[in-house]
């Protein structure tokens, strides 16, 4: 396999690994025995790579060499750049072989390793990113860290070969200084994990402080927060919808809505095939970093769905629908799970798959449609990306023509989009990282389940159920331990807090979408397992299980990154499960976790959006809607439609099915509720107070409006 087609790892499917020596032989290195697409992309490098593990560090100790650690992921553009410049270079390979033990890690497969050394990099340099380059002692202590490094010195960055030779010299001549640096850094890393003894009260002050911070950083011209680069962070937008409802301030909703619309209009959103690119390199959301990650799609669906329920604006419904279409079309595996994402690069360049020239548009479309598409998507000369164009939704003024028929314009534009998409599907696609991660599938399935129920798309709910069933079948070992990652028939790596939290969350959302008790039972099981394996004994959670490898500590991520912090997700899970099951200890555990995390907010509550979503839920008022059906569960649909038509982020719904009404089962919500006069009946309770039983959907709707402050139902003008 040549360096030029390092994205294509399909050739490894036919490699007879049993016939290879332990070091991979003359054609491969040790990574040939791995399943991770990222590691396999480096399996033909001349570098003598090891995967993370004791074998690498044992050799480092026996040969008295430092460890060169490189961390990345398979859809990472700059990881590819560094690989193409350095890791295919025999000179770099020789320097590494002479003075180092080289270890390659997939950050998506081992988030624990990545988190430890990313923290080290940020402590040392004030910045982070991937590829992450760290040099360690044989005892895993870091003493140098950087991100991308060029082969030769460039742009103020040291050249990799020069750096390696200098570190090798220092290892021989000034080792005590390096060891001292590593020890001091490890002490600082352990301090990050130590929990503050402070437990904060549960009140709305953090919400108001976060809102003030977002007001200060909001970009009123382009949407989003701060300047370039801009990350979508949809969970921030989901929180803003909640704050807008709680404190009755219109600007919170305006910031959320303006940001969603700006993303959807810009190049950060794929206008032709849908789906969200990773981030914008500019302030106007025009030029993206083109990779597409599963979690970004899921979080965007949730933020847009929240916006639709809160405002009734059909544009937000369209955003959620389009993103779900992309996710189910392009990120589903043959087994029905969801893979990690798609690369930014194809044909050796970033963005090639997504870019257009006016000539290409004219070659694909009839003349009238070509002119319309070029104007609507801003495809002209000069281009907005290296001479070509990233399609955006250009201002629509003047596009409707003299008759002003906006509906006809929309139909013609959709026809043009479909033709462009069909043509684009024939291009060489970016590499797809086809591994399945338990936590990411929980998040994706939960988003699909919520959107499927809200927009009456039962196929999405079915897709969510299939993905969650796959995780609970293929990513669970014989001892019942959840695994992190699966690819090509096997699961590996013990699951982390993120995996347990998002799997539980996805199952709760699936229960809220289809109201099958088994989904609630499974969510309860995985949440209980999370408390057993990850509890720190003081009310908080570690990132790594008690039975897993300890890499310089068990880790405690409290700040949201691209994915919200696992502990924040689990705080909300526990509170929702308590409301759905009536299990008091879940309520206690959720509030204790929330208080411990609130005690670590510091001066930047806006960096903890998911925790503040849990706080908003805890503050209430919380609602429980119990629908008791006499015969078929389908009889609940009208009542459920009323519930879904309103933005009630602190509500849970339980359908007591025929034959189980009046029985506790996994939930006490329906234990003392019965249909009235043989009719489907809904019971709405809030703050230990219940409304009169509702025997029609419209009656329940009126009760919900009165209880929630007469929020505008989704779909209303």
């Amino acid at each position: 396999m040549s360096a030029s087609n390092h994205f294509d790892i399909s050739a490894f499917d036919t490699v007879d690994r049993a016939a290879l020596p332990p070091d991979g032989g003359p054609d491969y290195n040790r990574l040939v025995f791995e399943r991770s697409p990222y590691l396999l992309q480096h399996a033909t490098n001349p570098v003598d790579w090891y995967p993370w593990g004791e074998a690498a560090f044992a050799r480092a100790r026996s040969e008295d060499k430092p460890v060169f650690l490189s961390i990345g992921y398979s859809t990472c553009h700059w990881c590819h750049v560094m690989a193409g410049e350095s890791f295919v270079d025999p000179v770099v390979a020789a320097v590494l072989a002479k003075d180092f033990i080289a270890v390659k890690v997939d950050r998506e497969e081992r988030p624990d390793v990545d988190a430890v050394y990313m923290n080290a990099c940020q402590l040392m340099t004030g910045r982070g990113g991937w590829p992450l380059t760290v040099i360690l002692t044989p005892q895993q202590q870091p003493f140098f860290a950087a991100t991308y490094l060029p082969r030769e010195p460039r742009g103020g960055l040291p050249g990799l070969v020069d750096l390696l030779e200098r570190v090798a010299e220092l290892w021989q001549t000034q080792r005590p200084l390096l060891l001292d640096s590593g020890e001091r850094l490890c002490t600082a890393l352990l301090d990050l994990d130590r929990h503050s003894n402070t437990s904060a009260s549960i009140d709305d002050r953090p919400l108001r402080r976060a809102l003030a911070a977002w007001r200060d950083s909001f970009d009123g011209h382009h949407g989003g927060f701060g300047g370039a680069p801009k990350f979508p962070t949809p969970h921030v937008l989901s929180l803003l919808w909640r704050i807008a409802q709680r404190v009755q301030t219109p600007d919170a909703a305006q910031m959320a809505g303006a940001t969603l619309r700006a993303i959807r209009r810009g190049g950060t959103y794929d206008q032709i095939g849908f789906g969200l690119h990773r981030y914008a390199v500019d302030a106007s959301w025009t030029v993206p970093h083109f990779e597409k990650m599963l979690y970004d799609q899921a979080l965007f669906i949730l933020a847009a769905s929240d916006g639709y329920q809160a405002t009734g604006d059909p544009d937000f419904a369209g955003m959620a629908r389009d993103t779900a279409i992309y996710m189910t079309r392009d990120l589903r595996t043959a087994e029905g799970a969801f893979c990690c994402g798609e690369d930014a690069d194809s044909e050796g360049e970033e963005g090639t798959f997504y870019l257009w020239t006016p000539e290409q548009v004219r070659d694909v479309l009839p003349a009238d449609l070509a002119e319309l598409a070029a104007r609507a998507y801003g495809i002209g000369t000069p281009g907005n990306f290296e001479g070509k164009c990233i399609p955006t939704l250009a201002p629509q003024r003047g596009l409707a023509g003299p008759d002003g028929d906006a509906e006809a314009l929309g139909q013609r534009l959709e026809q043009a989009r479909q033709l462009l998409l069909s043509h684009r599907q024939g291009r060489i696609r970016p590499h797809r990282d086809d591994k399945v991660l338990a936590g990411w599938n929980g998040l994706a399935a939960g988003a699909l389940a919520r959107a499927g129920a809200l927009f009456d798309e039962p196929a999405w709910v079915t897709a969510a159920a299939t993905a969650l069933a796959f995780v609970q079948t293929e990513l669970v070992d014989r001892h019942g331990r959840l695994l992190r990652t699966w690819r090509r028939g096997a699961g590996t790596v013990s699951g982390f807090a993120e995996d347990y939290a998002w799997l539980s969350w996805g199952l709760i959302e699936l229960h809220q979408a289809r109201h099958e008790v088994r989904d609630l039972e499974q969510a309860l099981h995985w949440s209980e397992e999370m408390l057993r394996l990850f509890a720190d004994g003081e009310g908080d959670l570690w990132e790594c299980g008690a039975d897993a490898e300890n890499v310089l500590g068990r880790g405690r991520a409290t700040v949201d990154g691209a994915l919200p912090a696992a502990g924040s997700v689990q705080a909300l899970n526990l509170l929702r499960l308590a409301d759905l099951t009536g299990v008091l200890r879940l309520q206690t555990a959720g509030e204790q976790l929330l208080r411990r995390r609130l005690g670590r907010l510091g001066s930047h509550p806006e960096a903890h959006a998911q925790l503040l979503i849990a706080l908003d839920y805890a503050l209430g008022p919380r609602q429980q809607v119990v629908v008791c059906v006499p015969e078929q569960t389908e009889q609940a649909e009208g009542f459920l439609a009323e519930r879904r038509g309103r933005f009630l982020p602190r509500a849970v719904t339980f359908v007591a099915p025929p034959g189980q009404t009046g029985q506790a089962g996994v939930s006490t919500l329906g234990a003392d509720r019965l249909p009235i006069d043989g009719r489907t009946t809904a019971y709405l309770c809030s703050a230990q107070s219940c409304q009169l039983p509702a025997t029609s959907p419209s009656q329940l709707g009126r009760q919900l409006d009165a209880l929630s402050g007469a929020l505008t139902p989704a779909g209303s003008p």
Side-chain angles (χ1 to χ4, degrees):
M1 187 183 303
S2 69
S4 62
N5 68 337
H6 63 278
F7 302 116
D8 182 11
I9 59 173
S10 60
F12 290 106
D13 295 341
T14 58
V15 172
D16 183 5
R17 291 170 172 82
L20 296 176
D23 66 356
D27 297 324
Y28 308 103
N29 55 52
R30 291 170 178 81
L31 301 184
V32 71
F33 301 105
E34 299 298 308
R35 291 181 178 273
S36 157
Y38 177 63
L39 300 187
L40 288 174
Q41 286 173 350
H42 294 80
T44 58
N45 292 167
V47 175
D48 185 19
W49 290 115
Y50 278 81
W52 180 271
E54 174 56 23
F57 290 98
R59 183 176 171 191
R61 291 191 295 270
S62 68
E63 298 184 9
D64 193 30
K65 292 179 178 178
V67 172
F68 176 86
L69 174 63
S70 177
I71 303 176
Y73 55 104
S74 80
T75 58
C76 165
H77 170 71
W78 285 102
C79 299
H80 304 327
V81 173
M82 190 166 177
E85 290 178 348
S86 297
F87 299 145
V88 299
D89 183 354
V91 174
V92 173
V95 173
L96 285 170
K98 176 176 177 290
D99 295 313
F100 298 86
I101 303 301
V103 174
K104 179 63 78 170
V105 167
D106 181 344
R107 67 169 292 264
E108 295 171 351
E109 188 174 71
R110 293 298 302 264
D112 56 331
V113 176
D114 177 62
V116 167
Y117 296 111
M118 183 60 71
N119 283 337
C121 182
Q122 291 171 336
L123 286 172
M124 281 191 271
T125 69
R127 60 190 296 269
W130 299 277
L132 178 60
T133 305
V134 190
I135 302 179
L136 321 175
T137 70
Q139 290 72 38
Q140 303 182 357
Q141 294 182 329
F143 59 84
F144 172 85
T147 52
Y148 162 78
L149 292 171
R151 167 67 174 78
E152 304 294 338
R154 186 173 70 244
L157 295 173
L160 181 60
V161 172
D162 293 344
L163 173 70
L164 293 174
E165 291 176 341
R166 177 60 177 155
V167 170
E169 178 186 354
L170 291 173
W171 184 253
Q172 297 301 324
T173 62
Q174 299 186 44
R175 188 178 306 186
L177 291 176
L178 301 183
L179 297 178
D180 180 65
S181 174
E183 289 177 2
R184 286 188 286 108
L185 189 57
C186 284
T187 299
L189 291 172
L190 290 172
D191 285 342
L192 292 177
D193 283 352
R194 291 193 180 96
H195 204 304
S196 166
N197 291 324
T198 303
S199 289
S201 60
I202 295 177
D203 58 48
D204 69 354
R205 287 177 295 177
L207 295 170
R208 295 179 182 277
R209 287 169 51 211
L211 177 60
W214 284 315
R215 282 171 172 156
D216 288 344
S217 64
F218 181 65
D219 182 344
H221 185 60
H222 297 298
F225 302 91
K230 275 186 176 169
F231 289 83
T233 54
H235 46 293
V236 169
L237 309 182
S238 289
L239 175 59
L240 284 170
W241 294 121
R242 287 157 171 79
I243 292 176
Q245 184 190 85
R246 174 170 295 282
V247 302
Q248 296 295 301
T249 177
D251 64 336
Q254 289 164 1
M255 288 188 288
T259 300
L260 280 173
R261 291 188 180 92
I263 293 170
R264 183 61 181 87
R265 288 196 306 268
T268 308
Y269 199 87
D270 178 1
Q271 304 296 336
I272 305 301
F274 305 145
L276 195 65
H277 295 298
R278 185 68 195 90
Y279 62 87
V281 302
D282 60 353
S284 64
W285 302 102
T286 301
V287 180
H289 180 43
F290 285 92
E291 69 186 85
K292 290 180 174 179
M293 306 304 295
L294 176 63
Y295 52 77
D296 284 325
Q297 319 310 317
L299 292 168
F300 192 75
I301 288 171
L302 294 171
S305 297
D306 287 342
Y308 174 63
Q309 285 184 303
T311 68
D313 190 327
D315 284 349
F316 297 137
M319 295 176 198
R321 285 180 173 278
D322 291 348
T323 309
I325 288 170
Y326 162 72
M327 198 166 79
T328 52
R329 183 191 66 216
D330 290 346
L331 295 182
R332 287 190 82 191
T333 69
E335 297 81 9
F338 291 91
C339 65
C340 289
E342 294 189 288
D343 210 301
D345 297 17
S346 58
E347 301 182 68
E349 299 290 340
E350 182 177 9
T352 300
F353 183 73
Y354 301 100
L355 300 173
W356 297 84
T357 64
E359 293 75 20
Q360 289 172 326
V361 173
R362 287 193 291 268
D363 287 342
V364 174
L365 301 178
D368 59 332
L369 286 183
E371 180 183 358
L372 173 64
R375 293 168 62 197
Y377 293 126
I379 300 173
T381 303
N384 54 17
F385 187 85
E386 298 179 1
K388 294 187 177 181
C389 288
I390 303 160
T392 63
L393 285 178
Q396 302 295 300
R397 293 185 299 274
L399 288 178
D403 57 0
D405 191 342
E407 182 177 353
L409 170 70
Q411 292 173 350
R412 293 178 65 225
L413 189 54
E414 175 61 14
Q415 181 186 2
R417 187 193 68 80
Q418 291 279 5
L419 289 170
L420 291 172
L421 176 62
S422 178
H423 176 82
R424 197 181 75 176
Q425 298 290 64
R427 293 177 175 177
I428 297 173
R429 290 194 69 92
H431 157 71
R432 189 176 83 153
D433 186 328
D434 62 355
K435 71 178 181 293
V436 174
L437 298 181
W440 295 17
N441 269 258
L443 170 58
L448 270 185
R450 186 187 293 182
L454 177 60
F455 301 115
D456 193 22
E457 294 284 354
W460 296 350
V461 179
T462 300
T466 300
L468 290 169
F470 179 88
V471 169
Q472 295 180 96
T473 302
E474 300 297 328
L475 281 93
V476 178
D477 70 15
R478 61 190 180 90
H479 302 293
R481 180 66 155 88
L482 183 64
L483 301 175
R484 166 71 173 175
T485 180
W486 180 96
R487 185 172 184 271
R488 301 294 173 94
T492 58
V493 185
S494 294
F496 300 95
E498 169 188 299
D499 299 299
Y500 281 80
W502 282 119
L503 176 58
S504 299
W505 181 86
L507 287 162
I508 294 170
E509 289 297 332
L510 182 61
H511 173 264
Q512 294 293 280
R514 69 180 188 178
H515 297 283
E516 294 190 8
V517 171
R518 59 177 171 167
D519 300 325
L520 186 56
E521 292 172 337
Q522 291 165 347
L524 184 60
H525 166 74
W526 292 115
S527 282
E528 297 275 23
E529 281 293 283
M530 185 175 184
L531 292 176
R532 182 180 70 84
L533 287 166
F534 298 90
D536 71 349
E538 298 179 351
D540 206 335
L541 299 167
W542 296 111
E543 300 301 310
C544 299
D547 59 346
E549 180 184 3
N550 185 322
V551 182
L552 302 182
R554 292 177 63 186
R556 197 196 310 273
T558 58
V559 175
D560 291 339
L563 272 171
S568 302
V569 176
Q570 188 61 6
L572 180 59
N573 287 346
L574 291 168
L575 295 174
R576 295 176 80 193
L577 284 170
D579 286 345
L580 281 164
T581 65
V583 177
L584 182 60
R585 58 183 167 78
L586 297 176
Q587 173 76 21
T588 301
E591 289 182 348
Q592 189 176 24
L593 175 55
L594 181 59
R595 287 192 179 97
R596 298 295 278 178
R597 291 291 171 112
L598 288 171
R600 294 172 64 95
L601 276 180
S603 59
H604 294 285
E606 71 277 11
H608 305 257
Q610 186 65 36
L611 184 67
L612 299 187
I613 287 175
L615 172 62
D616 174 74
Y617 187 93
L619 288 170
R622 286 142 70 171
Q623 300 95 27
Q624 297 88 37
V625 179
V626 181
V627 183
C628 299
V629 295
E631 295 177 4
Q632 295 116 4
T633 55
E634 289 78 7
Q635 294 172 316
E637 283 306 312
F639 294 85
L640 296 176
E642 290 290 337
R643 153 67 188 93
R644 292 167 184 150
R646 290 158 178 81
F647 184 52
L648 299 169
R650 295 170 291 280
V652 295
T653 308
F654 187 85
V655 175
Q660 294 187 29
T661 303
Q663 300 178 19
V666 74
S667 175
T668 60
L669 282 184
D672 58 352
R673 316 289 168 79
L674 293 169
I676 294 178
D677 297 330
R679 302 167 64 187
T680 300
T681 305
Y683 296 83
L684 172 62
C685 300
S686 178
Q688 292 77 51
S689 176
C690 294
Q691 304 288 313
L692 293 173
T695 54
S696 71
S698 60
Q699 184 182 1
L700 175 63
R702 290 192 294 272
Q703 291 178 351
L704 289 169
D705 283 340
L707 199 60
S708 62
L711 292 172
T712 303
S716 298

